[in-house]
Amino acid sequence: MCGIFVVSSRKELTEEEINEFKKASQLLSHRGPDADGFYISPNKKVFMAHKRLSIIDLSDKSNQPMKRNNLVIVFNGEIYNFKEIREILEKKGYQFATNSDTEVILSAYQEFGIDCLSLLKGMFAFCIYDEKENILFSARDRVGEKPIVYYKDERYIILSSEIKPIVEMSFFKKSINKESLFLYFLGNYRHIPEPFCIWHGVRKLKPASFIIIKDGDILKEDFYYQPKINYEIKNYPKEQIKKIVKEKVIEAIELTSVSDVPISILLSGGVDSSIIAYVLKTILKKDVVAFTYGASPDDEEVKRAKYVAERLKIPHKIFYFDHIDVEKRMKNIIKIYAEPLSLLQFAYSDVLYEAIKREGFKVVITGNGSDELFYGYISHPKTLLFSYMFKILDNLKIIDNIKLKILKYWLTSKKNRNLFDLSITLSLFKEYEKFIKPLVGSYLIDFSNFWALISENAHSITLVGDVAGMKNSVEVRNPFLNHELIELAFSLNPRLKIKNLFDKRGEYTKWILKEIFRGSPIEEVFYLPKMGFGFNIPLDYRFKNLNEFRKWSLRVFSKEFGVEVNMFSSV
């Protein structure tokens, strides 16, 4: 995991400009404290900077920017199947000077061009510059675990792992994007969704997207991937489906355990983290250490985690956060992220990753995303009932297109209450129309959960791991965000995930996950009432009420960055 900062200029860069870009890139040092490097193209129109957190091939030979022939790369993330891709390339005559996944990406791009993206399994954001063609190619992973933001004006295009280095440039004009501000107050959003940004002139590259740049101009930006939904799997025998799902879950967990440094896991005692712990320790025979946090020794989440760790004989460290300064932590997170955020998980995770770093770990594996894939929220049985109602309308030949699907989703959301919200929702969905199209014919619960996975719940699925993890130089990995597992999960009949449509405690959700690991020594925790991350930590009113939290966050943002944010009456 690392930080990248890249500039494409219409004109040759001056020494003064290069020095300012080097200084800006230092704002990413927390993402990669192990090494840094710079590159300036022969035509002096491209600048690349990299901050490295060493996880795979710890040698200096794998430092970046890395150059092979006419190609130069800066890369943030991990390619879990890089050894498999390397074997393919070696058969084609490629030779490698390192054991890194970075060099594999570079060679794969040289061989396959943009099609190399279809080979990659992992989380990634990278930029490759072709000196011969004078083209800059950048891409982001399918779910958006690793970020890329970009800024464009009449002189430069700047790409960065974070917004703040761009905002701190001397030529950047601080101006608020009102449309993005409205999106921040939409539905359950606790962040400004991609591709929008609170700053005028800045956008976020969408998940599963690439961008091609030349001489400070964008030549193309598009999706390179759509989820492949196999509706035929619904007709398979139940036991065959269970076998396929179990194999894919184990494979996804094994892929995220690839590392040249020790790995750890976040253990809550819930279904997802308990399964990850069980697979790593019992099936894959990996050495791992588990970390848990809670309000006190009496916290039910702590008790469940202790039970799982003891049953699996995993070293277990517990941290109690009963007196953390939530306000101070959130202010620091907003300062780094350079946008408002309104989710306390950022503060809790900041404390936890800080502690994990002190314990000497760089890698931690979490269960993020499982609730969206296997329908683990308490509201999901009710959503499935709505889905059946709407499916009847669809079968009656009611027009089924993306806009109708959005309307159904909007009508079932308590947080959306007016037609303006619907208009904003439609504009956001329009950005993803090509990406989400394969889900349009599915049940409403499938469509809404896929949308939650890539956008609405990104704050707690991908953002929190990158922002809070990288703030503390800790790499957060998420096996349930494996794109093949996602495709499989959304191909399943929803009734394989929710056994009881009237379940109000979360005991009958994620049913197929519980079934495939039935008989394991941790089975007892599968059927306990659901608790969310930080469920038992007390909060004051500002942080309990979402709109109050949003307004507080905006005030903090406004003060930190010296911009006026209009607290419009509709919020």
Side-chain angles (χ1 to χ4, degrees):
M1 205 74 74
C2 309
I4 61 177
F5 185 85
V6 177
V7 181
S8 173
S9 174
R10 289 178 181 270
K11 302 177 181 179
E12 288 189 11
L13 296 171
T14 66
E15 284 300 318
E16 184 179 359
E17 289 173 309
I18 290 168
N19 288 335
E20 184 173 10
F21 294 142
K22 285 182 177 180
K23 183 178 179 182
S25 71
Q26 295 303 321
L27 293 172
L28 300 173
S29 294
H30 53 276
R31 301 183 70 92
D34 295 334
D36 65 3
F38 307 101
Y39 164 85
I40 302 165
S41 64
N43 63 11
K44 293 189 176 180
K45 289 185 176 182
V46 173
F47 170 87
M48 306 175 83
H50 187 264
K51 305 295 177 183
R52 185 184 182 198
L53 181 67
S54 305
I55 304 292
I56 301 291
D57 187 350
L58 310 184
S59 71
D60 291 345
K61 290 190 297 183
S62 292
N63 288 347
Q64 301 176 47
M66 180 182 288
K67 183 177 181 182
R68 296 291 182 269
N69 301 317
N70 59 302
L71 300 178
V72 187
I73 186 172
V74 286
F75 163 53
N76 171 29
E78 302 294 346
I79 304 303
Y80 303 130
N81 66 329
F82 76 97
K83 292 181 180 178
E84 173 188 324
I85 300 170
R86 178 171 170 151
E87 288 180 5
I88 294 171
L89 293 167
E90 285 175 334
K91 289 178 181 177
K92 291 179 175 291
Y94 283 83
Q95 296 181 335
F96 293 87
T98 73
N99 293 313
S100 70
D101 49 352
T102 306
E103 189 178 11
V104 169
I105 298 173
L106 204 53
S107 298
Y109 179 76
Q110 183 174 343
E111 177 66 24
F112 301 109
I114 189 174
D115 292 338
C116 74
L117 297 171
S118 65
L119 300 174
L120 308 182
K121 294 180 182 179
M123 51 182 180
F124 55 85
F126 63 80
C127 296
I128 294 177
Y129 176 62
D130 186 330
E131 291 180 341
K132 183 179 179 181
E133 301 295 330
N134 189 29
I135 284 196
L136 192 64
F137 173 77
S138 183
R140 192 176 179 207
D141 65 72
R142 298 168 183 84
V143 187
E145 290 185 76
K146 294 293 100 192
I148 292 183
V149 299
Y150 66 90
Y151 163 80
K152 185 180 187 302
D153 65 15
E154 65 280 358
R155 176 71 190 271
Y156 313 105
I157 293 180
I158 302 176
L159 301 98
S160 176
S161 295
E162 295 178 5
I163 299 167
K164 190 169 184 179
I166 295 173
V167 174
E168 296 299 326
M169 302 302 299
S170 62
F171 51 81
F172 184 81
K173 298 175 183 178
K174 293 183 179 180
S175 176
I176 299 300
N177 182 329
K178 290 290 178 65
E179 183 180 9
S180 297
L181 201 56
F182 282 118
L183 287 166
Y184 181 51
F185 283 84
L186 179 67
N188 189 50
Y189 281 93
R190 296 164 185 266
H191 68 292
I192 293 173
E194 296 142 341
F196 299 96
C197 179
I198 199 167
W199 300 102
H200 267 302
V202 181
R203 280 174 66 90
K204 302 162 188 167
L205 190 64
K206 287 171 285 197
S209 293
F210 69 89
I211 188 169
I212 300 174
I213 297 165
K214 183 173 183 176
D215 291 338
D217 280 323
I218 296 173
L219 301 185
K220 186 175 183 180
E221 181 179 353
D222 202 356
F223 292 105
Y224 64 83
Y225 164 81
Q226 283 183 322
K228 299 175 179 64
I229 307 302
N230 177 16
Y231 291 110
E232 290 300 314
I233 200 170
K234 290 181 172 67
N235 301 320
Y236 291 7
K238 185 177 178 181
E239 291 304 311
Q240 182 182 356
I241 295 173
K242 286 165 62 176
K243 181 176 182 292
I244 292 170
V245 173
K246 186 172 184 177
E247 288 174 351
K248 187 56 68 175
V249 169
I250 293 172
E251 177 190 324
I253 295 171
E254 184 173 20
L255 281 170
T256 55
S257 69
V258 173
S259 175
D260 290 335
V261 297
I263 58 175
S264 62
I265 59 173
L266 295 190
L267 182 61
S268 68
V271 176
D272 319 314
S273 62
S274 297
I275 286 173
I276 290 171
Y278 169 71
V279 170
L280 286 171
K281 178 67 176 180
T282 307
I283 298 178
L284 301 177
K285 309 298 182 185
K286 299 281 186 178
D287 292 325
V288 295
V289 174
F291 293 95
T292 298
Y293 89 99
S296 72
D298 296 324
D299 188 334
E300 182 61 28
E301 192 171 18
V302 171
K303 291 179 180 178
R304 294 182 189 182
K306 286 179 69 175
Y307 170 82
V308 171
E310 288 170 0
R311 295 284 289 172
L312 297 177
K313 296 181 173 56
I314 291 176
H316 189 208
K317 296 182 182 294
I318 303 171
F319 302 99
Y320 298 110
F321 301 155
D322 53 337
H323 293 106
I324 68 169
D325 190 336
V326 169
E327 187 170 319
K328 182 179 179 181
R329 294 273 175 180
M330 283 304 303
K331 286 180 178 179
N332 286 336
I333 290 288
I334 292 168
K335 181 178 180 180
I336 288 175
Y337 188 60
E339 272 194 329
L341 293 165
S342 49
L343 182 71
L344 285 184
Q345 190 175 339
F346 285 95
Y348 305 151
S349 297
D350 183 29
V351 178
L352 187 55
Y353 295 142
E354 188 178 86
I356 289 173
K357 181 182 179 182
R358 283 199 306 269
E359 294 291 327
F361 287 88
K362 290 182 178 181
V363 176
V364 63
I365 299 175
T366 83
N368 289 350
S370 177
D371 284 319
E372 285 71 21
L373 268 63
F374 294 102
Y375 305 166
Y377 293 120
I378 293 172
S379 62
H380 278 151
K382 182 180 178 181
T383 306
L384 184 53
L385 282 172
F386 273 111
S387 298
Y388 288 144
M389 291 167 54
F390 284 124
K391 199 68 174 177
I392 292 171
L393 295 176
D394 291 342
N395 291 337
L396 291 173
K397 307 302 181 184
I398 301 293
I399 297 173
D400 190 9
N401 57 30
I402 286 180
K403 287 188 177 179
L404 182 60
K405 190 71 72 172
I406 295 165
L407 178 61
K408 294 172 183 178
Y409 164 75
W410 179 81
L411 288 170
T412 60
S413 173
K414 294 180 180 179
K415 297 282 175 40
N416 295 315
R417 293 187 174 88
N418 58 59
L419 292 176
F420 179 77
D421 283 345
L422 176 58
S423 174
I424 292 293
T425 304
L426 288 169
S427 71
L428 179 58
F429 271 84
K430 187 68 176 176
E431 290 279 352
Y432 287 86
E433 187 170 0
K434 182 177 179 181
F435 188 30
I436 62 179
K437 191 173 182 179
L439 275 295
V440 172
S442 62
Y443 284 100
L444 172 65
I445 192 170
D446 296 325
F447 182 85
S448 63
N449 272 273
F450 186 76
W451 181 250
L453 182 73
I454 62 167
S455 182
E456 189 170 15
N457 290 348
H459 46 251
S460 58
I461 299 173
T462 54
L463 263 182
V464 71
D466 184 77
V467 177
M470 287 290 89
K471 177 178 179 292
N472 295 286
S473 306
V474 172
E475 178 173 284
V476 180
R477 299 180 174 186
N478 308 290
F480 288 104
L481 298 186
N482 176 290
H483 75 276
E484 292 179 348
L485 180 57
I486 291 171
E487 291 172 344
L488 174 59
F490 284 104
S491 299
L492 302 177
N493 189 317
R495 285 309 303 270
L496 288 175
K497 306 176 189 181
I498 299 173
K499 183 179 181 182
N500 185 340
L501 294 177
F502 303 97
D503 176 18
K504 295 182 179 181
R505 287 158 54 89
E507 298 171 50
Y508 296 96
T509 56
K510 298 183 187 171
W511 192 252
I512 191 167
L513 269 187
K514 297 171 181 178
E515 281 283 289
I516 60 179
F517 291 102
R518 183 186 293 276
S520 65
I522 55 166
E523 182 183 356
E524 184 176 322
V525 302
F526 291 173
Y527 309 104
L528 298 174
K530 181 176 176 59
M531 292 189 301
F533 187 50
F535 185 82
N536 295 306
I537 294 180
L539 307 175
D540 66 29
Y541 174 75
R542 288 174 305 168
F543 302 128
K544 283 183 179 179
N545 181 283
L546 179 53
N547 266 352
E548 289 300 317
F549 197 170
R550 285 165 167 161
K551 293 174 184 178
W552 175 89
S553 178
L554 276 173
R555 288 192 293 270
V556 170
F557 167 81
S558 177
K559 183 178 180 181
E560 174 62 36
F561 290 95
V563 290
E564 183 178 346
V565 180
N566 180 24
M567 301 298 292
F568 40 87
S569 59
S570 64
V571 302

